[in-house]
């Protein structure tokens, strides 16, 4: 039993080193974008893409229609790209393990996660109500599934959106440790 724990502990240590290296690389990405204004702009793009995705789900019919295809994939592309960039700019707070965060970051993350969870629950309730309303219509099950998917995707983006909107500008001194670490 002790041997297994040692192997798992060594594995965990290697994983933490790998994550720290990934974080160092991520911290060097988009240095001029690390402002509140840029994060807020990306937050708006994520929400805009989510709304387009929801509109695409509302337009869904089994026969591929241009409006649905453009709205669904366009909204997914806008929201997906903006979400990817926003996760880079919010750093380890949106995607890292809690043990790697300081107290302030951990508290902020817990608050944002709780708020986004409540929003997600409300969106899932909307999805159920929408599914019940359209259940008797043609393709009601597929339309309800598409709306459920759109609302689920929307709900999962809210933690990054809230972080992107509320985080203050990054302190440039926070990134000197990564620059100094890369010189050594």
């Amino acid at each position: 039993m002790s041997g297994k724990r040692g192997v798992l502990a060594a594995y965990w240590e290697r994983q933490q080193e790998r994550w720290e290296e990934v974080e160092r690389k991520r911290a060097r990405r988009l240095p001029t974008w690390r402002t509140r204004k840029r994060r807020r702009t990306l937050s708006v793009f994520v929400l805009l893409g989510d709304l387009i995705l929801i509109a695409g789900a509302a337009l869904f019919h089994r026969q591929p229609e241009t409006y649905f295809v453009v709205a669904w994939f366009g909204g997914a592309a806008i929201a997906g790209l903006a979400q990817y960039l926003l996760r880079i700019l919010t750093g380890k707070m949106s995607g890292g393990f809690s043990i790697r965060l300081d107290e302030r970051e951990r508290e902020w993350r817990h608050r944002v996660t709780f708020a986004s969870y409540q929003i997600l629950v409300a969106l899932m309730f909307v999805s159920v109500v929408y599914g019940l309303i359209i259940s008797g219509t043609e393709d009601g099950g597929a339309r309800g599934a598409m709306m459920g998917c759109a609302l689920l995707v929307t709900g999962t983006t809210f933690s990054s959106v809230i972080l992107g909107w509320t985080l203050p500008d990054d302190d440039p001194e926070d990134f000197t440790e990564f620059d100094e670490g890369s010189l050594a």
Side-chain angles (χ1 to χ4, degrees):
M1 190 68 140
S2 178
K4 287 183 182 180
R5 286 186 186 173
V7 170
L8 288 175
Y11 172 77
W12 181 250
E13 291 294 324
R14 284 192 310 273
Q15 287 297 99
Q16 283 184 325
E17 290 172 8
R18 188 177 68 83
W19 292 322
E20 288 174 9
E21 179 61 31
V22 168
E23 184 59 36
R24 279 192 286 277
K25 288 178 183 177
R26 183 180 292 140
R28 290 187 208 117
R29 290 184 188 165
L30 306 171
T32 59
W33 283 40
R34 294 185 178 272
T35 63
R36 178 180 272 184
K37 182 179 178 185
R38 296 282 179 138
R39 283 193 300 266
R40 284 186 173 183
T41 301
L42 287 172
S43 295
V44 169
F45 274 112
V46 169
L47 291 177
L48 179 67
D50 288 342
L51 289 175
I52 294 170
L53 191 67
I54 292 168
L59 297 172
F60 176 74
H61 296 285
R62 283 217 187 251
Q63 300 82 18
E65 293 186 13
T66 307
Y67 297 120
F68 161 71
V69 172
V70 169
W72 183 262
F73 291 108
I78 291 169
L81 179 62
Q83 173 75 3
Y84 175 74
L85 294 172
L86 194 56
R87 285 183 58 99
I88 290 172
L89 298 180
T90 56
K92 60 187 174 190
M93 286 180 67
S94 63
F97 287 103
S98 291
I99 60 172
R100 298 179 56 225
L101 303 176
D102 63 24
E103 286 181 25
R104 180 189 61 85
E105 292 171 335
R106 193 175 297 127
E107 180 63 30
W108 210 324
R109 180 177 173 177
H110 289 311
R111 287 181 184 175
V112 167
T113 302
F114 181 69
S116 63
Y117 172 75
Q118 290 176 326
I119 292 168
L120 179 62
V121 167
L123 289 175
M124 290 300 95
F125 180 73
V126 169
S127 174
V128 168
V129 170
Y130 179 83
L132 289 172
I133 290 172
I134 65 163
S135 64
T137 64
E138 182 182 349
D139 298 330
R143 291 173 62 200
M146 292 302 286
M147 184 59 75
C149 179
L151 292 174
L152 181 64
V153 167
T154 299
T156 60
T157 61
F158 268 99
S159 60
S160 292
V161 168
I162 294 170
L163 277 175
W165 192 265
T166 58
L167 284 176
D169 286 342
D170 287 342
D171 185 7
E173 292 179 8
D174 290 343
F175 299 101
T176 57
E177 69 181 63
F178 293 115
D179 292 336
E180 291 170 1
S182 64
L183 296 175

